[in-house]
Amino acid sequence: MVSRRMSESRNEFTGLVEETEESHNDTTTLLSGSVTSSSDKYTVGRRRSLEEEGGLGGDDNVGEYTFDEAVEHMGFGKFHWKLLILCGVGYFAEITELVIVGFVAPAIEKDMGLSSVEYGLLGSSSFIGMAAGAIFWGYISDRFGRLVSFSLTVWMTFIGGFLSAFSPNYPILFILRFLAAFGIGGMLPVDYTIFLEFLPTLKRGSHIVLVDAVGVIPALFVSAIVAYCFSGNDDIRWRWVLGIVSIPVGVMAVLRRHVPESPRYYLAINEVDKAQKILEEVAAANGVSLPPGRLAPLRRPAGDAADGGGGGSHGNISLLFKGDTLKATTPRLWLLWFLTQFSSAGMVFALPKIFDETFSVSKKRIALDLLWGVFGLVPGLAIAYFVVERSRKYSLAGYYVAAGASVFMFMLATVGFLRNEFLAVLMSVALRGAMEGCFAILNCTSVEAYPTPVRASGLGNAQIFDHIAGAISPLFFSIFNDNTKLRPIAMTLYAVAYLLAFLPAVTLPKDYVGQAIKD
Protein backbone atom coordinates (compact mmCIF):
# COMPACT_ATOMS: atom_id res chain seq x y z
CA MET A 1 0.00 0.00 0.00
CA VAL A 2 2.85 2.41 0.89
CA SER A 3 4.53 1.64 -2.44
CA ARG A 4 1.26 2.29 -4.31
CA ARG A 5 0.73 5.63 -2.50
CA MET A 6 4.29 6.70 -3.30
CA SER A 7 3.72 5.81 -6.95
CA GLU A 8 0.47 7.81 -6.99
CA SER A 9 2.24 10.77 -5.37
CA ARG A 10 4.96 10.68 -8.01
CA ASN A 11 2.36 10.55 -10.77
CA GLU A 12 0.54 13.52 -9.24
CA PHE A 13 3.80 15.47 -9.04
CA THR A 14 4.66 14.65 -12.65
CA GLY A 15 1.17 15.63 -13.74
CA LEU A 16 1.41 18.89 -11.85
CA VAL A 17 4.64 19.69 -13.67
CA GLU A 18 3.26 18.75 -17.10
CA GLU A 19 0.14 20.89 -16.65
CA THR A 20 2.30 24.00 -16.35
CA GLU A 21 4.80 23.03 -19.06
CA GLU A 22 3.60 25.42 -21.75
CA SER A 23 3.28 28.45 -19.49
CA HIS A 24 6.71 27.82 -17.92
CA ASN A 25 8.75 27.78 -21.15
CA ASP A 26 9.27 31.54 -21.18
CA THR A 27 10.21 31.62 -17.49
CA THR A 28 12.72 28.79 -17.87
CA THR A 29 14.30 30.47 -20.90
CA LEU A 30 14.44 33.81 -19.09
CA LEU A 31 16.10 32.41 -15.97
CA SER A 32 18.59 30.10 -17.66
CA GLY A 33 19.16 31.91 -20.93
CA SER A 34 18.17 28.87 -23.00
CA VAL A 35 16.23 25.64 -22.86
CA THR A 36 18.23 23.80 -20.24
CA SER A 37 18.10 20.24 -21.58
CA SER A 38 21.50 19.32 -22.98
CA SER A 39 20.23 16.33 -24.97
CA ASP A 40 21.22 18.00 -28.24
CA LYS A 41 24.80 18.49 -27.03
CA TYR A 42 25.53 15.65 -24.68
CA THR A 43 27.04 12.45 -26.03
CA VAL A 44 26.83 9.28 -24.02
CA GLY A 45 30.45 8.24 -23.91
CA ARG A 46 30.61 5.21 -21.67
CA ARG A 47 27.59 3.22 -22.87
CA ARG A 48 28.21 -0.47 -23.18
CA SER A 49 25.97 -3.22 -24.49
CA LEU A 50 24.41 -5.59 -22.00
CA GLU A 51 25.06 -8.40 -24.43
CA GLU A 52 28.81 -7.74 -24.31
CA GLU A 53 28.67 -8.03 -20.52
CA GLY A 54 26.53 -11.13 -20.62
CA GLY A 55 23.47 -9.39 -19.25
CA LEU A 56 20.91 -10.09 -21.99
CA GLY A 57 21.99 -13.21 -23.73
CA GLY A 58 20.44 -13.23 -27.19
CA ASP A 59 18.78 -9.77 -27.08
CA ASP A 60 19.77 -7.21 -29.65
CA ASN A 61 22.47 -4.75 -28.68
CA VAL A 62 20.61 -2.90 -25.90
CA GLY A 63 22.80 -0.14 -24.46
CA GLU A 64 23.47 0.91 -20.89
CA TYR A 65 23.96 4.40 -19.57
CA THR A 66 25.18 5.54 -16.17
CA PHE A 67 23.12 7.64 -13.79
CA ASP A 68 25.34 10.68 -14.39
CA GLU A 69 24.93 10.29 -18.14
CA ALA A 70 21.15 10.24 -17.73
CA VAL A 71 21.09 13.34 -15.54
CA GLU A 72 23.42 15.27 -17.85
CA HIS A 73 21.36 14.20 -20.87
CA MET A 74 18.10 15.48 -19.32
CA GLY A 75 19.54 18.77 -18.12
CA PHE A 76 17.79 21.19 -15.76
CA GLY A 77 14.09 21.56 -16.51
CA LYS A 78 10.63 22.17 -15.15
CA PHE A 79 10.77 19.31 -12.67
CA HIS A 80 13.89 20.84 -11.13
CA TRP A 81 12.38 24.32 -10.84
CA LYS A 82 9.46 22.98 -8.85
CA LEU A 83 11.71 20.80 -6.71
CA LEU A 84 13.92 23.82 -6.06
CA ILE A 85 10.95 25.78 -4.67
CA LEU A 86 9.82 22.89 -2.47
CA CYS A 87 13.34 22.35 -1.13
CA GLY A 88 13.69 26.05 -0.35
CA VAL A 89 11.07 25.67 2.39
CA GLY A 90 13.70 24.11 4.66
CA TYR A 91 15.82 27.22 4.53
CA PHE A 92 12.70 29.39 4.81
CA ALA A 93 11.83 27.63 8.07
CA GLU A 94 15.33 28.00 9.51
CA ILE A 95 15.61 31.70 8.72
CA THR A 96 12.16 32.55 10.08
CA GLU A 97 13.00 30.59 13.23
CA LEU A 98 16.20 32.55 13.80
CA VAL A 99 14.88 35.97 12.86
CA ILE A 100 11.48 35.76 14.53
CA VAL A 101 12.68 34.21 17.78
CA GLY A 102 15.34 36.90 17.98
CA PHE A 103 12.78 39.62 17.25
CA VAL A 104 10.00 38.48 19.61
CA ALA A 105 12.31 37.32 22.42
CA PRO A 106 12.30 40.71 24.19
CA ALA A 107 8.46 40.75 24.12
CA ILE A 108 8.28 37.17 25.45
CA GLU A 109 10.82 38.07 28.14
CA LYS A 110 8.59 40.93 29.28
CA ASP A 111 5.30 39.02 28.95
CA MET A 112 6.45 35.89 30.79
CA GLY A 113 8.88 37.57 33.19
CA LEU A 114 11.93 35.60 32.06
CA SER A 115 15.29 35.69 33.79
CA SER A 116 18.41 36.54 31.77
CA VAL A 117 19.27 32.82 31.57
CA GLU A 118 15.76 31.89 30.39
CA TYR A 119 15.94 34.67 27.83
CA GLY A 120 19.19 33.29 26.44
CA LEU A 121 17.87 29.72 26.48
CA LEU A 122 14.88 30.81 24.41
CA GLY A 123 17.20 31.69 21.55
CA SER A 124 19.36 28.64 22.18
CA SER A 125 16.38 26.23 22.16
CA SER A 126 16.19 26.52 18.39
CA PHE A 127 19.77 25.39 17.93
CA ILE A 128 19.56 22.61 20.50
CA GLY A 129 16.59 21.18 18.58
CA MET A 130 18.28 21.67 15.20
CA ALA A 131 21.43 19.86 16.36
CA ALA A 132 19.40 16.85 17.53
CA GLY A 133 17.32 16.89 14.35
CA ALA A 134 20.38 17.09 12.09
CA ILE A 135 21.87 13.92 13.61
CA PHE A 136 18.62 11.95 13.68
CA TRP A 137 17.12 12.86 10.30
CA GLY A 138 20.45 12.78 8.47
CA TYR A 139 20.91 9.16 9.53
CA ILE A 140 17.29 8.24 8.75
CA SER A 141 17.63 9.77 5.28
CA ASP A 142 20.81 7.86 4.46
CA ARG A 143 19.63 4.60 5.96
CA PHE A 144 15.98 4.42 4.89
CA GLY A 145 15.65 6.89 2.02
CA ARG A 146 15.24 10.61 1.50
CA LEU A 147 11.45 10.65 1.17
CA VAL A 148 10.53 9.68 4.76
CA SER A 149 12.60 12.49 6.26
CA PHE A 150 11.61 14.91 3.49
CA SER A 151 7.94 14.55 4.44
CA LEU A 152 8.01 14.17 8.22
CA THR A 153 10.42 17.00 9.00
CA VAL A 154 8.26 19.70 7.42
CA TRP A 155 5.13 18.54 9.26
CA MET A 156 6.99 18.52 12.57
CA THR A 157 8.25 22.04 11.90
CA PHE A 158 4.79 23.34 11.08
CA ILE A 159 3.04 21.72 14.07
CA GLY A 160 5.66 22.84 16.60
CA GLY A 161 5.82 26.36 15.19
CA PHE A 162 2.07 26.91 14.97
CA LEU A 163 1.23 25.51 18.41
CA SER A 164 3.93 27.60 20.08
CA ALA A 165 1.75 30.65 19.42
CA PHE A 166 -0.70 29.24 22.01
CA SER A 167 1.89 28.40 24.69
CA PRO A 168 0.47 29.08 28.18
CA ASN A 169 3.89 29.28 29.87
CA TYR A 170 7.62 29.25 29.28
CA PRO A 171 8.27 25.45 29.62
CA ILE A 172 5.59 24.63 27.02
CA LEU A 173 6.93 27.34 24.72
CA PHE A 174 10.45 25.96 25.06
CA ILE A 175 9.30 22.40 24.24
CA LEU A 176 7.30 23.47 21.18
CA ARG A 177 10.13 25.63 19.82
CA PHE A 178 12.42 22.63 20.35
CA LEU A 179 9.99 20.41 18.39
CA ALA A 180 9.86 22.85 15.49
CA ALA A 181 13.64 23.16 15.51
CA PHE A 182 14.04 19.36 15.59
CA GLY A 183 12.16 19.25 12.29
CA ILE A 184 14.14 22.15 10.83
CA GLY A 185 17.39 20.44 11.77
CA GLY A 186 16.44 17.52 9.53
CA MET A 187 14.98 19.58 6.70
CA LEU A 188 18.25 21.28 5.80
CA PRO A 189 20.50 18.23 5.17
CA VAL A 190 17.68 16.23 3.60
CA ASP A 191 16.42 19.02 1.33
CA TYR A 192 19.85 19.89 -0.02
CA THR A 193 20.67 16.21 -0.48
CA ILE A 194 17.56 15.29 -2.45
CA PHE A 195 17.88 18.40 -4.63
CA LEU A 196 21.57 17.75 -5.36
CA GLU A 197 20.89 14.15 -6.37
CA PHE A 198 18.63 15.27 -9.23
CA LEU A 199 21.06 17.90 -10.57
CA PRO A 200 23.32 17.81 -13.63
CA THR A 201 26.89 19.04 -13.19
CA LEU A 202 26.40 22.20 -15.24
CA LYS A 203 25.68 25.15 -12.90
CA ARG A 204 25.12 22.76 -10.01
CA GLY A 205 26.59 25.22 -7.53
CA SER A 206 24.49 28.09 -8.88
CA HIS A 207 21.31 26.04 -8.59
CA ILE A 208 22.11 25.16 -4.96
CA VAL A 209 22.61 28.87 -4.26
CA LEU A 210 19.10 29.40 -5.67
CA VAL A 211 17.72 27.10 -2.95
CA ASP A 212 19.10 29.56 -0.42
CA ALA A 213 17.59 32.47 -2.35
CA VAL A 214 14.17 30.81 -2.59
CA GLY A 215 14.23 30.17 1.16
CA VAL A 216 15.89 33.17 2.74
CA ILE A 217 14.54 36.11 0.72
CA PRO A 218 10.85 35.27 1.29
CA ALA A 219 11.66 34.26 4.89
CA LEU A 220 13.20 37.58 5.83
CA PHE A 221 10.62 39.55 3.88
CA VAL A 222 7.67 37.71 5.47
CA SER A 223 9.26 37.85 8.92
CA ALA A 224 9.94 41.57 8.70
CA ILE A 225 6.48 42.41 7.30
CA VAL A 226 4.69 40.31 9.95
CA ALA A 227 6.88 41.76 12.70
CA TYR A 228 6.18 45.28 11.47
CA CYS A 229 2.41 44.74 11.24
CA PHE A 230 2.13 43.23 14.72
CA SER A 231 4.43 45.66 16.50
CA GLY A 232 3.14 48.61 18.46
CA ASN A 233 5.12 51.51 19.79
CA ASP A 234 5.96 49.69 23.01
CA ASP A 235 5.04 46.04 22.50
CA ILE A 236 4.97 43.14 20.03
CA ARG A 237 2.05 40.74 19.63
CA TRP A 238 4.42 37.80 19.56
CA ARG A 239 1.77 35.08 19.50
CA TRP A 240 0.36 36.39 16.22
CA VAL A 241 3.86 36.62 14.78
CA LEU A 242 4.79 33.01 15.65
CA GLY A 243 1.49 31.65 14.33
CA ILE A 244 1.44 33.51 11.02
CA VAL A 245 5.04 32.82 9.96
CA SER A 246 4.42 29.06 10.37
CA ILE A 247 1.56 29.00 7.84
CA PRO A 248 3.74 28.96 4.67
CA VAL A 249 5.56 25.92 6.07
CA GLY A 250 2.23 24.14 6.47
CA VAL A 251 1.30 24.88 2.85
CA MET A 252 4.60 23.45 1.66
CA ALA A 253 4.07 20.36 3.83
CA VAL A 254 1.01 19.55 1.74
CA LEU A 255 2.75 20.18 -1.60
CA ARG A 256 5.87 18.16 -0.77
CA ARG A 257 3.95 14.89 -0.69
CA HIS A 258 4.20 14.83 -4.51
CA VAL A 259 8.01 14.63 -4.58
CA PRO A 260 9.50 11.23 -5.55
CA GLU A 261 12.33 9.38 -3.82
CA SER A 262 15.85 10.20 -4.97
CA PRO A 263 16.71 7.85 -7.87
CA ARG A 264 20.39 8.15 -6.95
CA TYR A 265 19.55 6.73 -3.53
CA TYR A 266 17.66 3.81 -5.14
CA LEU A 267 20.64 3.13 -7.37
CA ALA A 268 22.98 3.16 -4.37
CA ILE A 269 20.97 0.34 -2.75
CA ASN A 270 20.76 -1.62 -6.04
CA GLU A 271 17.09 -0.80 -6.72
CA VAL A 272 17.92 -0.10 -10.36
CA ASP A 273 14.38 -0.56 -11.75
CA LYS A 274 12.93 1.96 -9.27
CA ALA A 275 15.67 4.45 -10.12
CA GLN A 276 14.98 3.95 -13.85
CA LYS A 277 11.24 4.56 -13.38
CA ILE A 278 11.78 7.86 -11.55
CA LEU A 279 14.28 9.03 -14.17
CA GLU A 280 11.67 8.31 -16.84
CA GLU A 281 9.12 10.41 -14.94
CA VAL A 282 11.58 13.29 -14.55
CA ALA A 283 12.47 13.15 -18.24
CA ALA A 284 8.80 13.21 -19.20
CA ALA A 285 8.17 16.16 -16.86
CA ASN A 286 11.07 18.05 -18.46
CA GLY A 287 9.84 17.21 -21.96
CA VAL A 288 13.02 15.32 -22.92
CA SER A 289 14.04 11.69 -23.30
CA LEU A 290 16.55 9.51 -21.54
CA PRO A 291 19.57 8.17 -23.44
CA PRO A 292 18.86 5.01 -25.48
CA GLY A 293 19.06 1.80 -23.52
CA ARG A 294 18.62 1.27 -19.81
CA LEU A 295 20.17 2.41 -16.55
CA ALA A 296 23.30 0.53 -15.52
CA PRO A 297 23.85 -0.57 -11.91
CA LEU A 298 26.72 0.95 -9.97
CA ARG A 299 30.09 -0.67 -10.52
CA ARG A 300 31.43 -0.86 -6.96
CA PRO A 301 34.90 -1.87 -5.79
CA ALA A 302 35.14 -5.30 -4.25
CA GLY A 303 33.87 -5.34 -0.67
CA ASP A 304 32.00 -2.07 -1.12
CA ALA A 305 28.64 -3.37 -2.34
CA ALA A 306 25.40 -2.09 -0.92
CA ASP A 307 22.59 -4.45 -0.15
CA GLY A 308 19.04 -4.12 -1.28
CA GLY A 309 17.66 -3.46 2.18
CA GLY A 310 18.81 0.05 2.74
CA GLY A 311 22.58 -0.33 2.25
CA GLY A 312 24.81 -1.88 4.91
CA SER A 313 27.18 1.11 4.93
CA HIS A 314 24.51 3.78 4.61
CA GLY A 315 24.64 6.25 7.50
CA ASN A 316 28.00 4.87 8.70
CA ILE A 317 29.73 7.93 10.15
CA SER A 318 33.20 6.44 9.66
CA LEU A 319 32.76 7.05 5.92
CA LEU A 320 32.98 10.80 6.61
CA PHE A 321 36.72 10.26 7.13
CA LYS A 322 37.34 7.63 4.44
CA GLY A 323 40.28 8.57 2.26
CA ASP A 324 42.79 11.41 2.47
CA THR A 325 40.45 13.98 0.92
CA LEU A 326 37.60 13.48 3.39
CA LYS A 327 40.02 13.22 6.33
CA ALA A 328 41.10 16.76 5.50
CA THR A 329 37.69 18.05 4.37
CA THR A 330 35.43 16.97 7.23
CA PRO A 331 37.26 18.74 10.11
CA ARG A 332 37.50 21.92 8.03
CA LEU A 333 33.79 21.88 7.24
CA TRP A 334 32.93 21.34 10.91
CA LEU A 335 35.10 24.32 11.90
CA LEU A 336 33.61 26.48 9.13
CA TRP A 337 30.05 25.71 10.21
CA PHE A 338 30.88 26.51 13.83
CA LEU A 339 32.55 29.85 13.09
CA THR A 340 29.92 30.91 10.55
CA GLN A 341 26.94 30.26 12.78
CA PHE A 342 28.59 31.56 15.92
CA SER A 343 28.93 34.98 14.32
CA SER A 344 25.74 34.92 12.26
CA ALA A 345 23.39 33.73 15.00
CA GLY A 346 24.93 36.14 17.46
CA MET A 347 24.45 39.13 15.17
CA VAL A 348 20.90 38.13 14.13
CA PHE A 349 19.94 37.74 17.78
CA ALA A 350 21.70 40.97 18.76
CA LEU A 351 20.43 43.31 16.03
CA PRO A 352 16.93 44.06 17.47
CA LYS A 353 18.30 44.65 20.96
CA ILE A 354 21.13 46.86 19.72
CA PHE A 355 18.78 49.00 17.61
CA ASP A 356 16.38 49.23 20.56
CA GLU A 357 18.91 50.25 23.20
CA THR A 358 21.23 52.33 21.03
CA PHE A 359 18.78 54.54 19.15
CA SER A 360 15.73 54.40 21.51
CA VAL A 361 13.25 54.03 18.66
CA SER A 362 9.82 52.37 18.64
CA LYS A 363 9.33 48.65 18.07
CA LYS A 364 7.77 49.47 14.70
CA ARG A 365 10.87 51.41 13.72
CA ILE A 366 13.10 48.51 14.75
CA ALA A 367 11.06 46.14 12.56
CA LEU A 368 11.43 48.58 9.66
CA ASP A 369 15.19 48.82 10.20
CA LEU A 370 15.41 45.02 10.12
CA LEU A 371 13.29 44.92 6.96
CA TRP A 372 15.93 46.94 5.16
CA GLY A 373 18.34 44.10 5.80
CA VAL A 374 16.39 41.97 3.32
CA PHE A 375 17.65 44.12 0.48
CA GLY A 376 21.23 43.08 1.19
CA LEU A 377 20.36 39.50 0.30
CA VAL A 378 19.71 40.21 -3.37
CA PRO A 379 23.20 41.43 -4.32
CA GLY A 380 24.79 39.02 -1.83
CA LEU A 381 23.17 35.95 -3.38
CA ALA A 382 23.36 37.28 -6.93
CA ILE A 383 27.14 37.55 -6.64
CA ALA A 384 27.30 34.09 -5.03
CA TYR A 385 25.27 32.65 -7.94
CA PHE A 386 28.06 33.56 -10.36
CA VAL A 387 31.26 33.27 -8.32
CA VAL A 388 30.40 29.81 -6.94
CA GLU A 389 30.94 28.42 -10.44
CA ARG A 390 34.42 29.95 -10.54
CA SER A 391 35.59 28.44 -7.26
CA ARG A 392 33.76 27.15 -4.20
CA LYS A 393 36.50 27.70 -1.64
CA TYR A 394 37.90 31.05 -2.77
CA SER A 395 34.42 32.51 -3.18
CA LEU A 396 33.59 31.33 0.34
CA ALA A 397 36.78 32.88 1.72
CA GLY A 398 35.94 36.22 0.10
CA TYR A 399 32.52 36.29 1.71
CA TYR A 400 34.05 35.69 5.15
CA VAL A 401 36.23 38.76 4.76
CA ALA A 402 33.22 40.85 3.70
CA ALA A 403 31.14 39.61 6.64
CA GLY A 404 33.87 40.34 9.17
CA ALA A 405 34.36 43.85 7.82
CA SER A 406 30.60 44.50 7.95
CA VAL A 407 30.42 43.55 11.64
CA PHE A 408 33.31 45.88 12.47
CA MET A 409 31.61 48.76 10.65
CA PHE A 410 28.27 48.02 12.32
CA MET A 411 29.99 48.13 15.69
CA LEU A 412 31.46 51.56 14.92
CA ALA A 413 28.02 52.76 13.78
CA THR A 414 26.34 51.72 17.05
CA VAL A 415 28.89 52.07 19.85
CA GLY A 416 31.80 53.88 18.23
CA PHE A 417 32.60 57.40 17.11
CA LEU A 418 30.56 56.90 13.89
CA ARG A 419 27.34 56.30 15.84
CA ASN A 420 24.53 56.85 13.36
CA GLU A 421 21.27 54.97 12.74
CA PHE A 422 21.42 55.27 8.94
CA LEU A 423 24.99 53.92 8.83
CA ALA A 424 24.00 51.11 11.21
CA VAL A 425 21.14 50.09 8.90
CA LEU A 426 23.45 50.28 5.89
CA MET A 427 26.01 48.02 7.56
CA SER A 428 23.28 45.57 8.60
CA VAL A 429 22.27 45.39 4.91
CA ALA A 430 25.88 44.63 3.90
CA LEU A 431 26.18 42.06 6.69
CA ARG A 432 23.02 40.26 5.59
CA GLY A 433 24.32 39.92 2.05
CA ALA A 434 27.76 38.69 3.11
CA MET A 435 26.31 36.38 5.76
CA GLU A 436 23.95 34.70 3.32
CA GLY A 437 26.66 34.34 0.70
CA CYS A 438 28.72 32.42 3.28
CA PHE A 439 25.85 30.05 4.05
CA ALA A 440 24.90 29.52 0.39
CA ILE A 441 28.37 28.48 -0.72
CA LEU A 442 29.05 26.51 2.47
CA ASN A 443 25.84 24.53 1.96
CA CYS A 444 26.90 23.80 -1.60
CA THR A 445 30.41 22.68 -0.65
CA SER A 446 29.21 20.52 2.24
CA VAL A 447 26.58 18.57 0.33
CA GLU A 448 28.93 17.98 -2.62
CA ALA A 449 31.74 16.65 -0.45
CA TYR A 450 30.22 13.31 0.56
CA PRO A 451 29.18 10.13 -1.29
CA THR A 452 25.54 9.01 -1.51
CA PRO A 453 25.59 6.54 1.46
CA VAL A 454 26.46 9.37 3.90
CA ARG A 455 25.55 12.54 2.04
CA ALA A 456 22.71 13.63 4.33
CA SER A 457 24.60 12.44 7.41
CA GLY A 458 27.68 14.36 6.26
CA LEU A 459 25.79 17.63 5.99
CA GLY A 460 23.77 16.82 9.11
CA ASN A 461 26.86 16.14 11.23
CA ALA A 462 28.55 19.29 9.95
CA GLN A 463 25.50 21.25 11.00
CA ILE A 464 25.73 19.89 14.51
CA PHE A 465 28.64 22.31 14.93
CA ASP A 466 26.55 25.00 13.30
CA HIS A 467 23.76 24.46 15.82
CA ILE A 468 26.08 24.16 18.82
CA ALA A 469 27.56 27.51 17.88
CA GLY A 470 24.07 28.92 17.43
CA ALA A 471 23.06 27.72 20.89
CA ILE A 472 26.13 29.25 22.53
CA SER A 473 26.09 32.54 20.69
CA PRO A 474 22.84 34.10 22.06
CA LEU A 475 23.90 33.18 25.62
CA PHE A 476 27.30 34.67 24.90
CA PHE A 477 25.74 37.94 23.72
CA SER A 478 23.29 38.04 26.65
CA ILE A 479 26.17 37.87 29.14
CA PHE A 480 28.04 40.75 27.52
CA ASN A 481 24.87 42.74 26.88
CA ASP A 482 24.10 43.05 30.62
CA ASN A 483 26.79 45.73 30.59
CA THR A 484 26.48 47.80 27.42
CA LYS A 485 30.12 48.85 27.75
CA LEU A 486 31.10 45.22 27.15
CA ARG A 487 28.93 44.89 24.02
CA PRO A 488 31.79 45.88 21.64
CA ILE A 489 33.76 42.86 22.92
CA ALA A 490 31.00 40.50 21.75
CA MET A 491 30.76 42.15 18.33
CA THR A 492 34.55 42.15 17.95
CA LEU A 493 34.66 38.41 18.60
CA TYR A 494 31.89 37.86 16.04
CA ALA A 495 33.90 39.76 13.44
CA VAL A 496 37.10 37.89 14.30
CA ALA A 497 35.30 34.52 13.98
CA TYR A 498 34.29 35.42 10.41
CA LEU A 499 37.86 36.38 9.57
CA LEU A 500 39.30 33.23 11.14
CA ALA A 501 37.06 31.14 8.84
CA PHE A 502 39.11 32.42 5.89
CA LEU A 503 41.94 29.94 6.55
CA PRO A 504 40.02 26.62 6.63
CA ALA A 505 38.05 27.82 3.58
CA VAL A 506 41.08 28.43 1.35
CA THR A 507 42.78 25.21 2.52
CA LEU A 508 39.88 22.88 1.60
CA PRO A 509 41.59 20.08 -0.36
CA LYS A 510 39.11 19.98 -3.22
CA ASP A 511 37.05 22.40 -5.28
CA TYR A 512 33.94 20.76 -6.76
CA VAL A 513 33.34 23.05 -9.74
CA GLY A 514 32.50 20.94 -12.81
CA GLN A 515 33.08 17.61 -11.04
CA ALA A 516 30.60 14.75 -10.73
CA ILE A 517 29.43 13.91 -7.21
CA LYS A 518 30.37 10.59 -5.64
CA ASP A 519 28.08 7.57 -5.42
Side-chain angles (χ1 to χ4, degrees):
M1 182 176 292
V2 173
S3 176
R4 197 169 94 190
R5 289 187 62 188
M6 290 174 61
S7 177
E8 290 173 357
S9 294
R10 291 195 298 266
N11 291 336
E12 290 174 13
F13 181 75
T14 304
L16 182 63
V17 173
E18 291 175 336
E19 286 174 8
T20 59
E21 181 175 344
E22 182 176 349
S23 63
H24 202 76
N25 279 338
D26 292 341
T27 303
T28 303
T29 303
L30 175 64
L31 290 172
S32 63
S34 63
V35 176
T36 52
S37 171
S38 55
S39 58
D40 57 334
K41 301 178 183 178
Y42 188 81
T43 302
V44 177
R46 298 192 300 275
R47 194 175 302 134
R48 299 168 297 277
S49 72
L50 292 177
E51 184 177 358
E52 289 172 357
E53 296 190 1
L56 285 179
D59 279 358
D60 292 333
N61 190 30
V62 180
E64 281 186 331
Y65 53 84
T66 66
F67 184 89
D68 287 328
E69 288 170 346
V71 171
E72 298 296 333
H73 189 79
M74 290 189 295
F76 191 94
K78 297 173 182 63
F79 171 89
H80 297 88
W81 284 113
K82 291 189 176 292
L83 183 61
L84 186 155
I85 293 171
L86 293 176
C87 287
V89 68
Y91 213 52
F92 176 94
E94 182 190 27
I95 297 303
T96 53
E97 176 75 12
L98 299 180
V99 172
I100 287 300
V101 170
F103 180 74
V104 302
I108 296 174
E109 178 187 29
K110 180 181 178 181
D111 191 29
M112 292 188 170
L114 305 184
S115 66
S116 59
V117 173
E118 288 173 327
Y119 178 79
L121 283 173
L122 182 61
S124 299
S125 66
S126 299
F127 294 98
I128 296 170
M130 288 182 199
I135 300 171
F136 179 80
W137 293 112
Y139 174 79
I140 294 297
S141 178
D142 282 334
R143 184 67 180 171
F144 302 107
R146 318 303 190 204
L147 199 56
V148 174
S149 302
F150 191 73
S151 299
L152 293 181
T153 52
V154 68
W155 279 111
M156 184 174 293
T157 301
F158 167 65
I159 291 170
F162 186 75
L163 291 181
S164 65
F166 304 94
S167 302
N169 52 49
Y170 177 75
I172 298 297
L173 177 65
F174 183 91
I175 292 170
L176 289 172
R177 296 316 302 176
F178 177 89
L179 179 65
F182 188 80
I184 293 171
M187 288 171 72
L188 292 174
V190 174
D191 289 8
Y192 280 97
T193 294
I194 197 169
F195 184 62
L196 173 81
E197 292 178 347
F198 279 100
L199 289 180
T201 302
L202 181 66
K203 291 188 176 181
R204 184 178 64 222
S206 296
H207 290 137
I208 294 174
V209 168
L210 285 179
V211 176
D212 286 62
V214 166
V216 71
I217 293 177
L220 287 181
F221 186 77
V222 169
S223 297
I225 290 294
V226 171
Y228 180 79
C229 292
F230 290 94
S231 298
N233 291 327
D234 300 312
D235 66 333
I236 301 168
R237 285 171 282 178
W238 61 270
R239 295 182 186 276
W240 282 93
V241 173
L242 292 180
I244 290 175
V245 297
S246 68
I247 292 175
V249 179
V251 173
M252 289 298 180
V254 175
L255 296 177
R256 278 161 67 116
R257 76 182 192 275
H258 300 298
V259 175
E261 177 61 89
S262 164
R264 192 180 286 270
Y265 175 81
Y266 273 144
L267 190 65
I269 60 171
N270 287 338
E271 297 281 357
V272 181
D273 290 341
K274 291 181 179 179
Q276 169 95 37
K277 187 174 187 303
I278 293 174
L279 287 176
E280 290 170 354
E281 293 171 356
V282 173
N286 283 351
V288 297
S289 61
L290 288 172
R294 56 186 294 181
L295 180 64
L298 290 179
R299 267 66 177 179
R300 297 179 179 275
D304 193 35
D307 58 53
S313 63
H314 283 234
N316 186 344
I317 304 303
S318 65
L319 294 181
L320 302 182
F321 299 91
K322 185 177 181 180
D324 293 338
T325 299
L326 287 182
K327 283 178 182 177
T329 298
T330 295
R332 284 172 171 81
L333 289 177
W334 288 359
L335 179 59
L336 286 171
W337 277 107
F338 182 89
L339 293 173
T340 306
Q341 190 61 278
F342 178 77
S343 296
S344 300
M347 289 305 298
V348 168
F349 193 75
L351 282 173
K353 207 164 186 68
I354 292 174
F355 275 113
D356 183 19
E357 297 179 0
T358 301
F359 301 110
S360 300
V361 295
S362 69
K363 303 298 183 186
K364 243 181 181 4
R365 179 67 173 271
I366 294 172
L368 186 60
D369 285 345
L370 296 176
L371 177 59
W372 285 108
V374 177
F375 294 100
L377 300 176
V378 177
L381 287 171
I383 294 171
Y385 178 87
F386 292 103
V387 299
V388 73
E389 291 299 334
R390 299 292 183 133
S391 169
R392 308 288 198 252
K393 63 181 184 180
Y394 293 118
S395 300
L396 182 59
Y399 270 99
Y400 283 127
V401 173
S406 298
V407 175
F408 271 124
M409 290 302 298
F410 180 81
M411 179 178 64
L412 293 178
T414 53
V415 297
F417 64 92
L418 296 176
R419 181 168 172 170
N420 179 274
E421 184 182 357
F422 175 78
L423 182 59
V425 172
L426 187 63
M427 287 302 101
S428 72
V429 170
L431 176 59
R432 285 287 190 187
M435 183 190 302
E436 201 51 47
C438 291
F439 279 116
I441 300 175
L442 187 55
N443 276 322
C444 177
T445 302
S446 300
V447 78
E448 288 178 323
Y450 298 104
T452 301
V454 287
R455 183 165 293 123
S457 295
L459 181 53
N461 277 270
Q463 287 190 334
I464 294 171
F465 295 88
D466 166 285
H467 303 321
I468 290 172
I472 295 171
S473 196
L475 288 171
F476 175 81
F477 177 78
S478 296
I479 292 170
F480 280 89
N481 195 59
D482 284 343
N483 185 339
T484 55
K485 292 182 179 180
L486 298 178
R487 188 182 293 164
I489 297 176
M491 286 192 282
T492 299
L493 289 175
Y494 290 147
V496 169
Y498 275 132
L499 297 176
L500 286 176
F502 177 90
L503 186 60
V506 296
T507 58
L508 283 168
K510 190 173 181 180
D511 212 319
Y512 299 94
V513 177
Q515 299 186 24
I517 60 174
K518 296 179 181 178
D519 285 311

